[in-house]
Amino acid sequence: ILRYTIDPDGAPRTVFGKVQPGLRGERTFNIVRGLYEAAARHPGLLHLPRPLGYFPEMGLLLEEGARGRAVGGNRGSTEFAMASIAAAEALAVIHESVVDSDERIRIEAELSRLDRVAEQFAYVLPNGHFLLKDLITHMRDRVRKTDEEDLLPTHGDMKYDQFVYHNDTFTLLDFDYFALAETSYD
């Protein structure tokens, strides 16, 4: 990730560049461009950096800088609590955006990931290991009894540290995990 400060007219602006291998940068640029258009149709619900361009010869994605600071993990802070509302509003716009993706998030893959995590708990927190194993078993049982839902666009990595906070505005970042997932994923 590169940071540029440009000053073409005496008003310094920050631009971020992200170099990604293969076509990842172009993929992210197209996603963010589509979401930026969707955000314009729903003012105030989804804020994200404006995509400025993609340069395939360098694999470079450019976006305008987002003002503010990352939301911290203090679960008792007001900004942490407010981030959940910002996440719900942002996801509503993302779900309705009809931005397509070549990636799919499948519940089976998520459950397999949880299986691997549960095994790590066996040695460091045995009680947590058994609780998580029980939860995963319950989730698998529910998945077997539930019909597959419609697939909708999703951020794919929605959590507090994906937001930058400034003057009561939350800007959502990092669309590298953007995918289609079942409606209940988020």
Side-chain angles (χ1 to χ4, degrees):
I1 296 177
L2 308 166
R3 178 185 169 147
Y4 303 96
T5 302
I6 56 174
D7 190 359
D9 53 5
R13 287 181 270 177
T14 301
V15 173
F16 284 94
K18 188 172 190 179
V19 178
Q20 296 176 297
L23 299 175
R24 297 295 294 180
E26 181 178 18
R27 176 187 184 274
T28 303
F29 175 69
N30 290 330
I31 288 166
V32 174
R33 187 175 52 190
L35 291 175
Y36 197 80
E37 292 168 6
R41 293 190 300 271
H42 303 281
L45 297 180
L46 171 62
H47 302 275
L48 59 152
R50 183 168 53 104
L52 300 175
Y54 174 70
F55 300 88
E57 63 280 0
M58 296 180 282
L60 177 65
L61 165 67
L62 290 179
E63 296 178 325
E64 73 181 353
R67 297 182 70 193
R69 58 185 165 80
V71 173
N74 177 359
R75 285 160 167 69
S77 73
T78 301
E79 80 183 30
F80 185 91
M82 290 171 45
S84 63
I85 295 167
E89 293 173 343
L91 286 168
V93 175
I94 292 169
H95 287 177
E96 295 294 320
S97 72
V98 303
V99 173
D100 198 16
S101 176
D102 55 347
E103 308 255 340
R104 305 285 186 268
I105 298 172
R106 299 281 183 204
I107 189 68
E108 297 82 14
E110 294 298 307
L111 291 172
S112 294
R113 183 181 61 81
L114 286 175
D115 280 333
R116 291 188 299 277
V117 170
E119 291 310 310
Q120 295 170 5
F121 274 87
Y123 302 107
V124 294
L125 186 62
N127 287 343
H129 166 76
F130 292 116
L131 289 170
L132 186 53
K133 292 291 279 183
D134 286 347
L135 175 63
I136 295 167
T137 299
H138 175 73
M139 291 170 69
R140 275 206 167 85
D141 185 53
R142 294 291 296 182
V143 167
R144 273 193 295 279
K145 296 176 182 176
T146 306
D147 293 332
E148 186 174 63
E149 300 171 356
D150 292 335
L151 295 177
L152 294 175
T154 183
H155 181 270
D157 192 27
M158 182 66 75
K159 55 189 187 299
Y160 68 91
D161 63 353
Q162 300 294 334
F163 285 99
V164 174
Y165 178 72
H166 179 73
N167 289 346
D168 294 331
T169 298
F170 289 85
T171 302
L172 183 59
L173 307 173
D174 190 10
F175 291 88
D176 292 344
Y177 294 103
F178 185 90
L180 297 180
E182 290 185 61
T183 55
S184 61
Y185 177 79
D186 289 317

